[in-house]
Amino acid sequence: CSSTAHTALVPIDVVKTALQQDGGATYDGPIECAKGLVDKDGPGALLRGAAPTVAGYAVAGAVAFGFVELLQA
């Protein structure tokens, strides 16, 4: 469940990172940045990094719940 919540925030993180790398040279704000990324690289650009996020939280959740079950037995 946490992987869903964190994956939903990936586009915000992508825009934030693009703004940090840009340093104000190209984009005036986050909405313009998001539009620019979509225009330049397509809508999938906003989901860059979503797969590792899902995988990481899925593994973390499986390990956490696995240990809970192990310790309750």
Side-chain angles (χ1 to χ4, degrees):
C1 187
S2 69
S3 66
T4 305
H6 287 280
T7 303
L9 298 176
V10 165
I12 295 169
D13 195 42
V14 168
V15 170
K16 174 197 63 112
T17 303
L19 283 170
Q20 288 173 335
Q21 290 177 339
D22 180 55
T26 307
Y27 306 116
D28 290 328
I31 293 176
E32 184 181 328
C33 180
K35 287 179 182 178
L37 290 172
V38 169
D39 289 344
K40 180 180 169 193
D41 298 327
L46 296 177
L47 293 175
R48 211 176 283 143
T53 300
V54 170
Y57 280 101
V59 170
V63 169
F65 286 119
F67 277 115
V68 166
E69 291 299 320
L70 181 68
L71 295 174
Q72 286 180 351

